[in-house]
Amino acid sequence: MRVISCILTEHDLRLVLLAAFVAASGGWVAFGLFRRAGEKLGTQRLGWTFLAAVAAGATVWCTHFIAMLAFEVGAPITFAPLLTMVSFVIAIAGFGAGFHVALHDRKAPFPEAGGAIIGLAVAAMHYVGIMAYRVDGIVEWSGGYIVASVVMAIAFGAMALHQAVRRPWTFSHHLALGLFVLAVISLHFTGMTGLSVTPLVTGAQLADPEILVTMAVAVAGVSLIIAGTGVATYIIDSKATEELADLSERLAHMAYNDALTGLPNRAGFSEHLGRELALAKAHGSKLAVVSIDLDRFKEINDLRGLEAGDAALRLIGQRLRQLLQEGEFVARAGGDEFATVKRFTEQSDLLDFVARLEGAVFTPINIGDFQTVTGASLGVAVYPEDGDTEERLISNSELALYRAIADVTRATCFYEAHMDEASRARHTLAQDLRHAIERNELELYYQVQTSIATGDICGYEALLRWRHPVRGMVSPAEFIPIAEETGAIIPIGEWVLRTACREAATWSVPHKVAVNLSPVQFANADLARLVHEVLLQTDLSPNRLELELTESTIIGDKARTLHILRQLKSLGVTIAIDDFGTGYSSLSTLREFPFDKIKLDRSFMTEVEHSQQAKAVVRAVLSLGKTLEIKVLAEGVETSDQLAILRMEGCDEAQGYLLGKPQPIAQILLALTKFGNSKVIAAPHKSVAASRQKKRRQAAG
Ligand code: C2E
Ligand code: MG
Ligand code: MG
């Protein structure tokens, strides 16, 4: 009560209101700046803390100064300049320290301790300011009021920063401002209530009240200018922050969208799929991923140029976007590929979606003066049955897509585990195969070829082996077709040729080496030039190299193959037809092509002992060879009975497990140095050994 009556009786009310206005408006600015400091880190936070401290310190000091001017003591007053300045510095430094502590950690007691420091600083400023206040009179203090004023300043200060930093309620920052103003006002007026001045009659003139008001207004003006500076900084920073947010939004848009079609890109797709998958899992609903690959896009690019290609992509992109309904999403996955996601519960909804997609890509498009239909292949994978992760769904939809691309009768294929897993395994193998040479995983084994009449070694067939780091030895029967499909056979075939010739050149006995050639090598590479080059580089005599090809090679492009074969023969190498009897086995093939050897397929050997028919075929091929003067080698000889039959029928050479399994080069080299020219590696058949003994006896005798 005494405080209120002190305000009403001893203060100029106009100035009290001005002081309250300064405290409230300056406090509002200071707390705004303080809030911004709380949002920043590091030096940015220090900068904003400083601004907040200057605004708050100046506000409080000006409030105090105006309130002092409002105090009507009835005696002349002056202000000691130095102490007045010190009180100003205390206010700013105290707020700086308090704010800093309060923001150090949002957990108690930091904000409250910071607030207490502020309360203390306000009190210190006030009482230092009072010390600077000189009055011609007897000044008496009441200790109780002083203590009460300081305690209130500290308590309200602590509460103010508790609200400002920890914001327990929605209106906390208004409350913080109110408590701050309360801290300042309560300190001042409680303190002033405890102060009594008995004026002395000194003859000095009392200050003109209007001058005091003018001074107070000037001080308030300064305070508002300082606060205004803070507001300006705040606005400038907000604008910059807004621009930054705008920029990062634009960057994010660029990162997640394709510039050409305006559709989301692969990254956008993956983000969307991740979200949809989480939703589908939470709601137990279904989700389909449909991968789309345009069929004739390359054609448009090649024939009409890149611009037409771009226009086609834009058009298709637009159509795909327009067909979307609730729960559907489309993105450009790159090149001429699109990817879509569809949330559904009924299979019929998915089928309807696929039909709409097909409609979009199979409707003709007009670009400039020409019309075309791009067409497309689509692959569908469904959550949960075809995969429950993003990667699985995408990769399974792509596997289905590959099947759709290969299938000319269907535009869309749904993922089918049994079909697509096999193709996935092939796909992985194909990828590994690309690095097989550089990783030194390839190796050649050699299988001996023996003369049936004498048992002498005629040569060795080089057979490729792939030591896969995880799967171990992979059979050429498995990986050669893959290498042919992917084109990897070209470098692999070259490696085989080079390695076989280089290794054969080191043999102590000049046996022939037979190398298998793939049809792809005939179709793609300048084979004759390669063989010529390899022979020169490895210094292998051409007559020691035999090239094996199958009939399928000839069927492809007869004229071209014949031309290449003639070139090869002119180098001095010999040519064998492999796996004879399994393919087309036409007589004309044998007549037209300059073969040096027929290799009778091993399937006949398994049957020749029991089947008269097989024996008849063997006999026919042998007589054909005789007529055309082409040597015949029987493949896959595993038993001595088979060998006996071959000998009886007059077959020239044999190859098979009975005579020697394919072996690594080290073992071949060992055998060659041990047995030299005249021994087969495996134990020869009894009669072969007998005929050799006879031969030796003849030579000796
Ligand atoms: P091919 O050229 O007909 O080779 C003979 C295959 O029969 C070899 O299988 C060999 O190990 C096997 N074999 C040999 N004797 C017997 C026997 O007594 N019984 C049985 N059951 N099999 C026997 P491999 O090494 O698995 O090669 C399979 C096929 O892979 C080869 O058939 C050839 O077509 C292809 N190939 C192997 N190496 C190469 C190469 O360097 N380049 C190309 N293009 N194809 C190769
Ligand atoms: Mg062969
Ligand atoms: Mg063969």
Side-chain angles (χ1 to χ4, degrees), residues 461 463 516 548 550 577-580 582 599-602 633 635-636 655:
E461 179 178 5
L463 293 161
N516 291 284
E548 293 188 7
T550 58
I577 184 152
D578 203 356
D579 303 344
F580 191 79
T582 52
K599 294 188 76 178
L600 187 60
D601 191 72
R602 71 166 183 266
L633 177 146
E635 295 186 275
Q655 180 181 347

Side-chain angles (χ1 to χ4, degrees), residues 646-667:
L646 290 170
R647 186 177 306 105
M648 241 157 49
E649 300 294 341
C651 185
D652 303 283
E653 292 174 13
Q655 180 181 347
Y657 293 167
L658 176 73
L659 305 156
K661 288 197 166 177
Q663 287 176 309
I665 183 70
Q667 267 163 285

